[in-house]
Structures are given as structure tokens and as C-alpha cells.
Amino acid sequence: MQGKIGLEEHFALEETVMDSAGFAPETHWPELRARLLDIHERRLREMDANGMAMMLLSLNAPAVQAIPDTDRACEVARRANDFLAEQVARRPDRFQGLAALPMQDPERAARELERCVQDLGFKGALVNGFSQVGDPHTAVYYDLPRYRPFWATVEALGAPFYLHPRNPLPADARIYDGHPWLLGPTWGFGQETAVHALRLMCSGLFDAYPGLAIILGHMGEGLPYSMWRIDNRNAWIETPPRYPARRRIAEYFRENFYLTTSGNFRTQTLIDAILEVGADRILFSTDWPFENVDHAARWFDSASISERDREKIGRTNAVELFGLAPLLGG
Ligand code: MN
């Protein structure tokens, strides 16, 4: 398929690139590092060779979220966003931006998002899970009441918010002791991000701000497969769930969430996601440079779905969600 658009596609600054070093063996680090720091050379060639019209770019992980000092988190986010805006300005037909946000301070995060959307023309935000705030051992999640004004700004701007994975802190990762291979993309990323997304759904956030659009990668971090059980539980006991939200979790999942194919190139999984949330809420992505564009494209272009769904997932859902039509040639 020609004209595909991807929205979980990462770059790095020299000052954040080492955050990705643990996710490749030493033998592959020089290659991964070069891929992260490149925007206009190798990346564009990969896109051209594999029918990708556009990438929405975002900073690597965990980057800003792992900087406990709020002033420094704000500075790095601002530098990353300014750098990204310059890159997008060189090829706005091929690249658009998702903002990095200093979530350590909800008020400053909201102001940075406003700046990115209104002044820099960014299409939304991508945040790498919880933030460490004040000290490196404190993990703060965005369902907390202090974030409500931030979410009001996100809704008012109409900016989609991509909740991207990071690993849990060591104190919250004891279940993985002795099994480090389960951290990262193997399992830990998905588990961490799925729980964060469920916290948002249970908290009543989407009752207060029904216009929010949250994006999850990796075909929904396992959530589509669990959605029925989360609401049903052991139904014969008939105890209503005790959470602040007014509706069933699956209703928020279907109305406030979008899923991407990033790093999860599996037709069985895609079809399950289509059955749970519908083809209108799934979007193509590769997770470059951690995954290969050709692996994603070759799988997606021949996956056993209808051509109408391929067109939606590959392109038109993103055009609509981010308002990309005026930017895309032909
Ligand atoms: Mn990613």
C-alpha cells in the first residue's frame, strides 16, 4: 500500500539518545544510535522504499519523563520540541511533530503543549508513561487529580495524546527479578502502559473530558484481549466495580482510545483489535527505529483484512485524527 502514515516513529537528541542504549545489544547500538539521530537521510529512504508518505515524529523514551528535576525536564522538552519543529519545517509533507511534555509539572506541561500546537504546528503529544518527579524513586501517574487542568487543556486543543511505554521503576518491578528479559518490549512495557491506561479509564477522567483522544501503541498493549473480562469479572457475584468512573471500562476504551500497530506485526492480533474497537480506531505505525519499516510494511500490506480497512488503518484514520489532509501532496 502506498501513502501509509505512521505515528509512533522516534528520533533522539544527542542528550537523550543514551536512554535507548539499553534496548539494543552492544553489537547493534551503533546502528540504532545512527537511526535515532537521523531524520532526513536513511529514514526518508526507508519511507520511500516501503510506501510511507509521512511519519509523525516523537522523542525517544523515557527521556523527559525520567528527569526528576522539573526545570531541567522543561528545558529538555523545549529543546526537543524546537529541534523537531525545525526538522518538520524542512519537509512538512513527510514529517509532522508530536510534542514531548514535562509532565512533572501539569501546568507547565499544558503551556508547552499549547506552545507546540499553536506556535509550532504540532499535531498532538507523545508522553513516555509516568514521570519521576522530585526524586528518581517517585512515579507519578496522570489519573491523579492534579492533572485534571492539564487534561482540560488537551481536550480544548483537540490534541491526541499518545501514551507510550517505559519500564517500571525497580521498586515496582520486583516481579521481574531474575528475569530481566521480561522488561522492555517483551512484556514490561505493555504491562506498565496497560495499567496506566486502565487507571485513566477507571478514574472518571473521560466523564469529565469526553473529547480526549488517547493513543496506545503495540496494538493496545494487550488490552483488547482483556477488555471483556475487565468488565465482566465473575458476573454471578453481581458486585458493581468500585471506581469513580460512571461507565463500563470498555465504553471508554472504544470511545476515547485509538490503537496503533507499532511493533506488533501480527494479523491475529490486528483482527482481535478490529473486533474490539473497530477499524476506525486503529492506525498503522512501525516504531522506527526500534523496528524496521520494511517488516511493518510488508506485513501490513499483505495482512488478511479488507482493502477498505487497510486504507483506513494505513492512512485515512490518521489523516482525519490529526487533520493532515492539507499537508499531504496528491
Ligand atoms: Mn516506541
Side-chain angles (χ1 to χ4, degrees):
M1 174 188 166
Q2 293 298 309
K4 291 188 291 294
I5 298 169
L7 45 142
E8 189 186 323
E9 319 297 347
H10 308 296
F11 73 95
L13 306 178
E14 287 285 354
E15 66 183 303
T16 66
V17 73
M18 285 309 290
D19 282 29
S20 299
F23 299 112
E26 253 175 64
T27 49
H28 287 67
W29 173 238
E31 160 83 8
L32 179 58
R33 186 179 186 284
R35 288 182 179 200
L36 276 162
L37 295 172
D38 160 72
I39 306 253
H40 299 281
E41 307 292 332
R42 167 85 181 268
R43 187 182 298 257
L44 267 179
R45 288 199 300 276
E46 296 281 347
M47 293 164 67
D48 289 341
N50 293 287
M52 266 188 105
M54 180 181 278
M55 284 186 175
L56 277 72
L57 300 178
S58 54
L59 192 60
N60 64 322
V64 175
Q65 268 59 65
I67 303 173
D69 180 88
T70 299
D71 285 341
R72 200 175 126 61
C74 289
E75 281 165 30
V76 174
R78 198 178 169 90
R79 268 203 296 280
N81 292 330
D82 286 344
F83 172 82
L84 179 53
E86 288 166 21
Q87 305 311 311
V88 167
R90 286 175 58 185
R91 289 307 301 272
D93 57 328
R94 305 302 300 276
F95 299 118
Q96 287 293 313
L98 296 177
L101 296 179
M103 296 296 287
Q104 287 80 353
D105 181 330
E107 168 60 26
R108 293 170 78 178
R111 286 209 306 271
E112 180 63 8
L113 180 61
E114 274 173 355
R115 185 182 81 92
C116 286
V117 171
Q118 293 171 345
D119 301 346
L120 305 181
F122 283 14
K123 299 302 170 191
L126 183 140
V127 166
N128 295 311
F130 65 86
S131 286
Q132 286 150 278
V133 183
D135 77 81
H137 308 293
T138 304
V140 174
Y141 291 86
Y142 311 136
D143 56 289
L144 297 178
R146 74 178 91 155
Y147 285 96
R148 287 298 175 93
F150 166 80
W151 289 116
T153 301
V154 176
E155 188 190 50
L157 290 169
F161 182 99
Y162 205 123
L163 185 65
H164 183 274
R166 64 176 295 183
N167 270 325
L169 297 178
D172 299 322
R174 283 179 299 172
I175 194 171
Y176 301 117
D177 283 354
H179 300 267
W181 48 84
L182 286 173
L183 285 163
T186 311
W187 185 260
F189 276 177
Q191 188 270 345
E192 168 68 34
T193 311
V195 174
H196 197 168
L198 288 168
R199 288 176 61 132
L200 298 180
M201 287 183 251
C202 297
S203 70
L205 177 66
F206 303 110
D207 298 320
Y209 306 109
L212 289 175
I214 310 291
I215 306 167
L216 298 175
H218 316 106
M219 219 76 90
E221 312 291 5
L223 286 172
Y225 214 79
S226 299
M227 208 32 69
W228 184 86
R229 178 162 165 77
I230 287 167
D231 281 322
N232 188 69
R233 303 174 309 133
N234 42 349
W236 70 274
I237 295 179
E238 289 180 358
T239 330
R242 293 193 188 88
Y243 54 64
R246 286 203 286 269
R247 301 162 67 196
R248 292 164 70 86
I249 298 306
E251 295 178 53
Y252 303 112
F253 194 57
R254 289 183 195 124
E255 292 173 26
N256 295 98
F257 281 75
Y258 292 81
L259 316 179
T260 78
T261 66
S262 63
N264 203 344
F265 313 137
R266 180 70 168 164
T267 303
Q268 287 88 332
T269 313
L270 173 60
I271 289 172
D272 178 58
I274 291 173
L275 290 171
E276 285 293 345
V277 304
D280 292 339
R281 306 189 81 86
I282 302 173
L283 303 93
F284 177 77
S285 288
T286 75
D287 210 352
W288 176 265
F290 302 96
E291 301 288 347
N292 270 13
V293 177
D294 59 328
H295 294 172
R298 241 184 279 146
W299 161 73
F300 180 74
D301 290 356
S302 63
S304 306
I305 56 174
S306 71
E307 291 310 314
R308 185 175 152 75
D309 284 353
R310 199 181 328 275
E311 196 63 25
K312 285 182 182 180
I313 295 168
R315 179 179 173 93
T316 55
N317 288 346
V319 172
E320 282 171 33
L321 182 61
F322 297 101
L324 300 175
L327 297 158
L328 292 157

